[in-house]
Amino acid sequence: MGEAKIKNPCKIIAVRYRFVYENVGGGEPQLQFQSHPLIKLKVDQKPEDKSSKECELLPENVVYEDDVEYLRSLDPKEWKSQDHYKVLGIQHLRFKATEDIIKTAYRKKVLKHHPDKRKALGEEVKADDDYFTCITMAYETLGTPIRRKAYDSVDPEFDNALPSGSELKKDFYEVFSYYFNLNSRWSEKSKVPSLGDSESSREEVERFYSFWYDFKSWREYSYEDEEDKDKCQDRDERRYVDKLNKAERLRKKEGRNVKTKFKQDDKEKKLAAKRAKQSAAQARKEEEERLLKEAQLAKEQAEAAERARIEAKRQEREIQKKAIKKERKTLRDVCKSKNYFADNSEENLIHMTAVESMCEKLSLNDLEELNRNIKNNGKSAFLKAVMENQQREEKERQAVLNSAKQKNNSENKNNTVIMAAPEWNEDNIQLLVKAVNLFPAGTNQRWEQTNKPSITLKRIKKNVLNVDETGISKKVDGDLSENNIATQTTASKKVVNGDVKAPTKVEAPWTTTEQQLLEQALKTYPASTPERWDRISECIPNRTKKECIKRYKELVETVKAKKAAQAAMAFSSLYEEKCPFTRDYNLIKTELKNIDDYDKTCIETALHGVNQMVLGEWGNNTACQIILITDGSTGVGPMSLKESLGTLNQRSSKIQFPIPFPFSAKLHIVCLTSANDPNFIKSKPLYQRLIDLSGNDGSILVSDNLQNESSITNLFLKLAEDMYTLFRGTLKCGNLESKIILSPAPVPYTKIMDFECQTYHLSDLIEVCGFISVSDVGSPMAVSRHLILPASSPSKQESGGKTEVDVTDDDTVEEGKTPSYCVLLHGALKVENMAALVTLGENWFGFVYSWADSKKKSNLMLTILTPGSDAVPWLGDLNNLGAADSVSYRSMWIRQAGLQSDIQKILRHARKLPEKTQQFYKELNRLRKAAISLGFLDLLNGLAYIFEQECMQLPGSAHPDCALQLQNAAEQLRKTQNHDIKYVIMPLQTNYTSS
């Protein structure tokens, strides 16, 4: 048996070898090796003798190094970054060095490197830049326990690294033992458990982990503070720097703590998994958003392409229409200049009719070719075109007759009873015209109501509507031909219960040829032609003057009916601003004629558009009147008004209903329909709810009998009389005054106080009480804003016979020829960039100033402030405003910098007393006078407090009169009896001032 021997005692001794002599095969015994389990024995290690260890670290046993080159390379200004142990020559001991060793090392360095010693040896020494300063700072750092502890915590030679994964795989216990033993020096507790090995008991493992999980380190990082607290000038700055340093130390301590480092690994793994999950969710969300954006973009592109296609098609139609119109005009002018290539009046009429027929039927290319042929060949080309046109009309007529005969033959074969539908005669046309006027466009079930038993004939709706101004009733008479004139002139027979009644004699209907001749004659002989109807009747054979006039009136009524249908207005799922805010009513009327029909009705969209228009132009301080014009319908589907009001309580903050309006407004709803219309009866409660939500007194207007345009005009006249009354008053300044109109008219203002409500009414006399710079006024809180328009004199109103002044028509009121104070005031305020302070009533003020709209057109504007003299806080009491004595006070201290500069100017004079006594009291009295004028009495108390503080902080070299004058000024400012604006603070008479 053998035993391993070690020189130094250890904790474990293992028996490794065992040999046994055994007889093998009956021969001589042989030495055999037999393995057996290892037996481990624990041996208590004897504690080292501390006295012997201390003997080894005695100052006389330490070797002190002296690296002169390193010392000379040091910069005294960067002493904090040097290695203090190396400077003293004990870098091999570092934190193990005792206080005696550090003192001894410092003495040795002083004896050798002191500047006096080196000067004595003839060495040149710089007083301000010598490395001996580094030796001194090294001893001050290591010789002081607190500073040495701070330096040892950031020892540059200490290994702060952690083992890598490859190192741990080689030898886990050895590698980790090294690092744990290395960091154990920072423990506040002296006894630190070791890592152990694979044979350590559970109790030892738990004790190890519990110690390191609750590890408390004395290590701190004050040595690396970037901000030096000792260099701060005051206490607040030192506190702030100390707060920053503590936060940075805590961050570094957490980052270099072993416990934190190991916990950080687990935390980073969890964070990595969390980030991966979040990244996947974010990527999925981004992908969905990308797909959604692509779909939205594709949809927008498709819509844009469709809109572009429709617009291109519309432009193409417009171009073609203009080209056709141009070619028609060319053809008419050429033919008219050549007297229609006719030799007599009868041929002239025939050719005139042919020209109109060709203009109506020929295409653009045919018209261009015809004009070229007439230009080149003249009469022959024209006669050829007339002949071709007649042949073409004859073929069309024969084709219509043949198709009608074939249809009648087929019906005769299938039916034994023939029902003959009568053609349009004069009575039926009259009935149709009356029905169209009775039921205009927009009437519910219009054509079903039109086709009542009183109207015995049924016609296709498109034939009834196809009435044009240039070819007035083509479809009505288009089916008539020369072959069936006899059928139309004789009355159709009525079959009633098998009896046949003879019809009464009726007037012969107008044929297509007669209709065309009438139209051409109306164009040839305008209304200014003498004996016009006699000449027109001469152009139409077999027609008298009375018949021509009657036919003309019928056609006029038909055209009016068609125009009424085209003037109907409809809301859409989009809104379009047809005309911005303007006083040019002619422009508004022109834009109303260009309103087109869109896809569907959505009143909510229209109200959103109203909000954007008003807020963009006027803001939320201007009262408005909003007129909603509808046909009595509220829309269908999800965009209807019923659906919008039903989802009011389910809307998010991003999708708000446009009512109540963000500005003061009244909503009026005008319905262009009858009061008995079923659609209006259903819509009226919804319209009333809109008015209730708006919060002001609105109205719903509808006509009892909507038959023609006059009823609609009366409807709007009633609205104008009830709601659009003008406010008339007088603008006065001294002896100058002018009659004015405020638009829109101001409404009474109700001020809600704690226990009562007070209502203010605007006076009809608006008086200017002063002027102030626009920059000083700023943007105070306002009740409303109104345009100021000059009103004409009463004599002009009486002479014109008008009760209201047309403020929009610049031609009716010659303002340039009549002197007006409004014009004078407007020009002065605009040039000087000032505003006029006006009184609107008792203790109620406003500002008048020049305002330019979006078209850079300047107007006179009135801003009404909230009642009270303190409506503009930075101006103080408006009743105390007066002329300023100095330029510095004209700004009224609207900006903080102006007030500070005035006070600082006084304090600069105060510090130079008694030399600046007169200047000090001069500026003080100016500031005091301005403060009293504005009612800013708190400023006087604050200034007195500043003077008292200045007295306490005066340096010892200050003149005694300085403190006396400051104390006198503070006392005078605090006296309430001196708050008279005419009072002047005088200097205090002292021995210093008298001398």
Side-chain angles (χ1 to χ4, degrees):
M1 181 180 297
E3 182 178 298
K5 296 183 180 180
I6 56 177
K7 182 176 181 180
N8 296 324
C10 62
K11 295 183 179 180
I12 299 174
I13 300 176
V15 179
R16 299 179 58 192
Y17 309 108
R18 186 175 67 169
F19 299 92
V20 180
Y21 281 98
E22 291 182 353
N23 293 328
V24 180
E28 295 181 357
Q30 298 180 359
L31 184 62
Q32 298 289 338
F33 172 73
Q34 293 184 357
S35 59
H36 61 82
L38 296 178
I39 301 175
K40 297 182 179 181
L41 301 176
K42 291 185 179 180
V43 179
D44 294 333
Q45 186 176 0
K46 295 182 179 180
E48 297 181 359
D49 190 0
K50 294 184 179 181
S51 60
S52 61
K53 191 173 182 179
E54 292 177 357
C55 293
E56 296 177 358
L57 294 178
L58 292 176
E60 55 270 15
N61 297 334
V62 175
V63 177
Y64 301 96
E65 300 178 1
D66 188 16
D67 191 349
V68 180
E69 294 183 0
Y70 174 73
L71 294 176
R72 294 184 184 277
S73 65
L74 297 176
D75 185 4
K77 297 179 182 179
E78 302 294 334
W79 63 268
K80 205 168 186 179
S81 60
Q82 68 186 12
D83 188 353
H84 298 312
Y85 287 110
K86 189 173 183 180
V87 170
L88 296 181
I90 52 176
Q91 65 270 24
H92 57 285
L93 295 178
R94 307 199 74 80
F95 70 93
K96 298 179 182 178
T98 61
E99 294 182 5
D100 294 336
I101 293 175
I102 294 173
K103 290 180 181 180
T104 303
Y106 175 66
R107 292 194 190 99
K108 290 183 179 292
K109 294 293 181 182
V110 170
L111 291 174
K112 185 174 181 180
H113 298 283
H114 197 275
D116 295 339
K117 294 283 186 180
R118 287 186 285 139
K119 286 181 182 179
L121 296 176
E123 182 178 350
E124 183 180 357
V125 178
K126 296 181 181 180
D128 298 334
D129 189 14
D130 189 64
Y131 66 85
F132 186 76
T133 304
C134 299
I135 298 174
T136 304
M137 298 307 298
Y139 176 69
E140 289 182 0
T141 302
L142 299 180
T144 306
I146 297 177
R147 292 188 177 182
R148 183 183 180 186
K149 183 178 180 180
Y151 178 72
D152 286 342
S153 298
V154 296
D155 192 351
E157 298 295 328
F158 181 76
D159 186 8
N160 286 305
L162 287 178
S164 61
S166 58
E167 293 177 350
L168 295 176
K169 291 179 180 180
K170 293 180 180 178
D171 193 340
F172 176 84
Y173 295 103
E174 182 179 357
V175 173
F176 264 123
S177 296
Y178 168 75
Y179 285 102
F180 276 107
N181 293 335
L182 192 64
N183 284 275
S184 63
R185 60 179 284 193
W186 311 120
S187 176
E188 294 181 355
K189 298 179 181 179
S190 57
K191 293 183 180 181
V192 179
S194 60
L195 176 62
D197 52 19
S198 59
E199 300 297 332
S200 298
S201 63
R202 183 178 183 85
E203 183 181 354
E204 294 174 347
V205 174
E206 290 179 354
R207 184 168 61 253
F208 172 81
Y209 279 105
S210 62
F211 175 82
W212 285 102
Y213 269 112
D214 298 333
F215 181 74
K216 294 182 180 180
S217 174
W218 56 264
R219 194 177 187 184
E220 50 97 7
Y221 301 92
S222 61
Y223 189 79
E224 294 181 347
D225 290 345
E226 296 181 1
E227 304 290 342
D228 191 358
K229 185 171 63 175
D230 297 334
K231 294 181 180 180
C232 298
Q233 297 181 357
D234 54 17
R235 179 175 59 184
D236 294 336
E237 188 176 358
R238 285 193 293 271
R239 287 179 178 176
Y240 176 71
V241 170
D242 191 27
K243 182 179 178 181
L244 293 179
N245 292 336
K246 285 182 179 180
E248 185 64 19
R249 293 172 199 167
L250 182 61
R251 186 188 65 80
K252 292 179 179 179
K253 185 172 183 178
E254 291 294 331
R256 296 180 183 178
N257 196 350
V258 178
K259 167 188 170 183
T260 306
K261 289 179 180 179
F262 285 108
K263 285 186 175 181
Q264 190 68 23
D265 293 339
D266 297 337
K267 186 176 181 181
E268 288 179 356
K269 290 181 181 178
K270 294 180 181 179
L271 288 177
K274 185 177 180 180
R275 281 195 294 268
K277 187 176 180 181
Q278 292 177 350
S279 300
Q282 183 68 20
R284 186 166 58 253
K285 183 178 179 181
E286 291 177 356
E287 181 66 17
E288 293 175 357
E289 290 179 354
R290 184 185 65 81
L291 294 176
L292 184 61
K293 287 182 180 180
E294 289 180 355
Q296 186 69 18
L297 181 62
K299 182 180 178 182
E300 291 177 357
Q301 291 176 351
E303 292 177 354
E306 181 66 16
R307 286 195 297 269
R309 185 186 67 79
I310 295 174
E311 181 65 19
K313 192 174 180 181
R314 186 189 66 80
Q315 292 179 359
E316 183 180 356
R317 287 198 304 268
E318 291 293 332
I319 294 172
Q320 188 175 7
K321 187 185 297 184
K322 290 180 180 178
I324 292 177
K325 188 176 181 180
K326 180 180 178 182
E327 295 298 329
R328 289 175 178 173
K329 185 177 184 301
T330 303
L331 178 60
R332 291 190 181 104
D333 293 343
V334 171
C335 294
K336 189 175 182 180
S337 64
K338 301 293 183 180
N339 196 22
Y340 294 96
F341 301 98
D343 298 333
N344 50 49
S345 59
E346 184 177 354
E347 190 179 2
N348 188 358
L349 183 58
I350 296 173
H351 288 179
M352 187 186 305
T353 307
V355 168
E356 294 302 323
S357 177
M358 288 187 291
C359 289
E360 185 66 30
K361 295 181 180 180
L362 292 182
S363 62
L364 176 62
N365 297 330
D366 296 337
L367 287 172
E368 291 176 350
E369 185 179 358
L370 177 59
N371 287 331
R372 284 195 300 268
N373 294 336
I374 293 176
K375 184 178 181 181
N376 298 329
N377 302 325
K379 184 176 181 180
S380 60
F382 176 76
L383 295 177
K384 182 181 178 181
V386 171
M387 186 177 298
E388 291 177 353
N389 183 58
Q390 291 176 354
Q391 293 175 359
R392 185 166 50 252
E393 289 180 349
E394 184 64 26
K395 288 181 181 179
E396 292 177 357
R397 194 158 39 243
Q398 291 297 331
V400 172
L401 292 175
N402 293 334
S403 61
K405 289 179 181 179
Q406 292 177 2
K407 184 176 180 181
N408 291 332
N409 293 333
S410 61
E411 291 179 354
N412 292 335
K413 293 179 182 179
N414 299 328
N415 301 324
T416 57
V417 180
I418 300 176
M419 299 296 293
E423 296 294 336
W424 287 97
N425 54 28
E426 188 66 24
D427 295 336
N428 294 332
I429 293 177
Q430 292 295 330
L431 290 174
L432 178 61
V433 170
K434 293 180 180 179
V436 170
N437 291 332
L438 183 61
F439 305 106
T443 304
N444 187 29
Q445 298 179 351
R446 181 189 185 192
W447 297 109
E448 285 74 3
Q449 296 184 20
T450 304
N451 189 18
K452 287 184 177 180
S454 61
I455 302 175
T456 59
L457 301 179
K458 296 183 178 180
R459 300 294 287 173
I460 302 175
K461 183 167 63 175
K462 63 180 181 180
N463 292 340
V464 176
L465 283 178
N466 196 349
V467 180
D468 193 12
E469 295 180 19
T470 57
I472 301 224
S473 61
K474 298 177 296 184
K475 287 294 182 179
V476 173
D477 299 323
D479 295 337
L480 302 178
S481 62
E482 294 178 357
N483 295 332
N484 58 7
I485 291 178
T487 306
Q488 296 175 13
T489 54
T490 59
S492 58
K493 297 180 179 181
K494 299 182 181 179
V495 181
V496 181
N497 297 328
D499 298 332
V500 179
K501 294 184 180 180
T504 59
K505 184 177 179 180
V506 296
E507 182 182 352
W510 285 68
T511 63
T512 305
T513 304
E514 292 175 342
Q515 182 68 42
Q516 293 175 355
L517 292 175
L518 176 63
E519 294 171 9
Q520 184 60 40
L522 289 172
K523 295 178 182 178
T524 305
Y525 303 109
S528 60
T529 305
E531 298 180 356
R532 180 192 185 196
W533 291 107
D534 294 333
R535 296 189 179 186
I536 291 175
S537 61
E538 291 175 358
C539 298
I540 307 172
N542 303 325
R543 292 293 177 182
T544 61
K545 176 181 177 181
K546 184 177 180 180
E547 291 176 342
C548 293
I549 295 175
K550 182 179 180 182
R551 180 62 175 172
Y552 173 74
K553 291 182 179 180
E554 294 172 357
L555 296 178
V556 169
E557 292 181 358
T558 306
V559 172
K560 285 185 177 180
K562 183 190 174 188
K563 286 185 176 180
Q566 289 180 342
M569 298 169 58
F571 296 112
S572 170
S573 58
L574 303 176
Y575 70 89
E576 179 183 3
E577 181 180 342
K578 301 297 294 184
C579 180
F581 284 99
T582 180
R583 285 184 283 162
D584 187 358
Y585 286 176
N586 293 327
L587 177 61
I588 298 176
K589 294 177 182 178
T590 303
E591 293 297 334
L592 286 177
K593 296 179 181 178
N594 299 329
I595 293 179
D596 299 326
D597 293 342
Y598 292 97
D599 51 357
K600 54 180 72 70
T601 299
C602 183
I603 295 179
E604 181 179 352
T605 301
L607 295 176
H608 278 297
V610 169
N611 287 346
Q612 294 191 13
M613 289 176 62
V614 175
L615 292 176
E617 181 72 21
W618 301 98
N620 58 358
N621 292 330
T622 302
C624 299
Q625 300 266 14
I626 299 172
I627 304 175
L628 178 63
I629 305 174
T630 72
D631 58 354
S633 175
T634 57
V636 294
M639 303 184 74
S640 64
L641 181 59
K642 181 179 181 181
E643 186 69 20
S644 299
L645 294 176
T647 58
L648 282 180
N649 299 328
Q650 304 172 4
R651 294 172 180 251
S652 61
S653 58
K654 296 181 180 180
I655 309 176
Q656 292 288 343
F657 193 68
I659 297 180
F661 297 106
F663 45 85
S664 178
K666 288 185 179 181
L667 177 62
H668 308 287
I669 302 176
V670 179
C671 300
L672 302 182
T673 184
S674 175
N676 299 325
D677 186 3
N679 277 343
F680 174 72
I681 296 174
K682 295 179 181 178
S683 305
K684 187 175 180 180
L686 300 177
Y687 290 148
Q688 186 61 44
R689 190 175 179 191
L690 276 183
I691 295 174
D692 295 340
L693 288 175
S694 65
N696 293 317
D697 297 332
S699 61
I700 301 176
L701 291 93
V702 63
S703 176
D704 295 333
N705 186 14
L706 190 66
Q707 292 184 354
N708 47 33
E709 293 182 359
S710 61
S711 60
I712 299 176
T713 304
N714 295 332
L715 201 63
F716 282 96
L717 287 176
K718 182 178 182 301
L719 176 63
E721 292 174 359
D722 295 341
M723 298 298 172
Y724 286 82
T725 55
L726 298 177
F727 176 87
R728 297 179 178 276
T730 303
L731 179 62
K732 184 178 181 181
C733 179
N735 296 326
L736 300 174
E737 65 179 27
S738 176
K739 299 295 182 181
I740 61 171
I741 296 174
L742 297 184
S743 178
V747 296
Y749 177 76
T750 301
K751 186 176 183 180
I752 301 176
M753 293 175 284
D754 293 337
F755 301 101
E756 61 178 346
C757 295
Q758 187 174 359
T759 302
Y760 293 83
H761 295 274
L762 194 69
S763 172
D764 57 354
L765 177 61
I766 301 176
E767 187 172 2
V768 178
C769 59
F771 299 91
I772 189 172
S773 176
V774 172
S775 61
D776 295 339
V777 175
S779 300
M781 186 176 65
V783 174
S784 60
R785 295 191 300 169
H786 308 270
L787 283 174
I788 299 179
L789 306 173
S792 59
S793 61
S795 60
K796 288 189 177 183
Q797 295 180 18
E798 294 174 0
S799 62
K802 297 181 181 179
T803 58
E804 296 291 337
V805 178
D806 186 4
V807 297
T808 63
D809 192 355
D810 297 334
D811 297 333
T812 58
V813 180
E814 298 179 355
E815 296 179 359
K817 298 182 180 179
T818 305
S820 174
Y821 174 62
C822 285
V823 179
L824 174 64
L825 181 62
H826 179 218
L829 295 179
K830 183 178 180 181
V831 173
E832 298 296 334
N833 194 25
M834 298 190 72
L837 180 66
V838 297
T839 57
L840 309 175
E842 184 178 358
N843 203 27
W844 197 6
F845 296 89
F847 285 107
V848 175
Y849 54 94
S850 175
W851 174 83
D853 57 12
S854 58
K855 294 184 178 180
K856 306 301 181 183
K857 185 176 181 181
S858 182
N859 302 276
L860 202 60
M861 182 71 72
L862 168 65
T863 294
I864 299 178
L865 304 176
T866 55
S869 59
D870 56 347
V872 187
W874 50 86
L875 294 182
D877 192 345
L878 297 180
N879 292 317
N880 294 332
L881 286 181
D885 293 337
S886 177
V887 177
S888 63
Y889 303 120
R890 290 178 186 172
S891 63
M892 304 298 181
W893 299 319
I894 190 70
R895 291 171 292 274
Q896 183 180 2
L899 178 60
Q900 290 179 349
S901 62
D902 292 335
I903 296 176
Q904 289 173 358
K905 185 176 181 181
I906 296 175
L907 293 179
R908 284 196 299 270
H909 293 321
R911 296 187 183 99
K912 296 180 181 180
L913 292 173
E915 290 83 0
K916 297 287 185 178
T917 301
Q918 297 300 326
Q919 292 85 342
F920 170 74
Y921 280 98
K922 180 180 178 181
E923 295 297 331
L924 177 61
N925 283 312
R926 285 182 176 178
L927 182 66
R928 173 183 166 277
K929 186 176 180 181
I932 294 175
S933 298
L934 299 176
F936 197 2
L937 301 181
D938 292 339
L939 176 63
L940 303 181
N941 296 328
L943 196 59
Y945 176 76
I946 293 175
F947 289 163
E948 292 174 351
Q949 295 296 319
E950 286 291 325
C951 289
M952 298 173 61
Q953 297 178 4
L954 287 176
S957 59
H959 197 280
D961 192 49
C962 181
L964 296 175
Q965 297 295 345
L966 287 175
Q967 188 65 32
N968 173 61
E971 292 177 356
Q972 294 295 329
L973 289 174
R974 292 187 185 278
K975 290 182 179 180
T976 56
Q977 60 269 25
N978 293 340
H979 289 173
D980 184 7
I981 195 171
K982 297 181 181 180
Y983 180 79
V984 179
I985 300 177
M986 301 300 296
L988 179 66
Q989 296 297 325
T990 62
N991 295 331
Y992 306 103
T993 55
S994 61
S995 60

